[in-house]
Amino acid sequence: MDAKTYPVTRTDAEWRALLTPEQYQVMRNHGTERPGSCALLYEKRAGTFTCAGCDQPLFESKLKFESGTGWPSFNDPVEGSVENTVDRSYGMVRTECHCARCGSHLGHVFPDGPPPTGLRYCINGVALNFEPAT
């Protein structure tokens, strides 16, 4: 993981106890879930998508859209909730996004989204929890 210290920190054992094996692979080892495999891809209710590692609000459902990629996609995160780094894995240069509170890998952001931002935050659904609006 990054050398940066985050407001929420856990030992490796604590992360493994908190997360499922798939969540751990995605969020702590920068993995990717199979496209179309997460129920949150199909979530349409009003509410907030939060980090599965620390419960920080990350994305509002009103900014979720169907990108056809097989992963939940959003225009923009909640302000200050997501940080970006350069990802040079697999012979590509991409922009990785991670939770600003706990550092967990969420997915990547691409400049091919719809207006108004033109961004597509392509997020692994297993990195998210969903809290319906009350």
Side-chain angles (χ1 to χ4, degrees):
M1 290 303 303
D2 303 323
K4 178 180 175 176
T5 301
Y6 292 93
V8 172
T9 59
R10 294 184 170 87
T11 66
D12 188 63
E14 289 170 330
W15 282 117
R16 287 181 184 276
L18 174 70
L19 304 172
T20 67
E22 185 180 23
Q23 287 175 317
Y24 183 87
Q25 177 59 26
V26 168
M27 298 174 72
R28 307 313 298 168
N29 290 329
H30 301 259
T32 302
E33 69 189 1
R34 279 187 359 264
S37 65
C38 183
L40 289 182
L41 175 63
Y42 309 102
E43 181 59 64
K44 306 281 189 219
R45 295 174 292 171
T48 304
F49 293 86
T50 62
C51 177
C54 71
D55 296 322
Q56 170 159 262
L58 298 172
F59 299 96
E60 297 295 330
S61 61
K62 65 185 174 192
L63 296 177
K64 184 175 183 273
F65 64 94
E66 177 52 57
S67 65
T69 61
W71 291 280
S73 296
F74 303 88
N75 285 99
D76 219 7
V78 171
E79 187 173 341
S81 67
V82 173
E83 295 178 341
N84 298 328
T85 55
V86 176
D87 176 1
R88 288 183 163 69
S89 63
Y90 304 105
M92 298 180 274
V93 177
R94 300 178 291 173
T95 302
E96 176 191 346
C97 51
H98 56 272
C99 176
R101 184 183 288 165
C102 70
S104 291
H105 171 75
L106 302 171
H108 293 85
V109 60
F110 301 97
D112 61 1
T117 66
L119 297 175
R120 174 174 54 93
Y121 283 81
C122 187
I123 306 300
N124 289 285
V126 296
L128 303 172
N129 289 323
F130 180 72
E131 295 179 9
T134 53

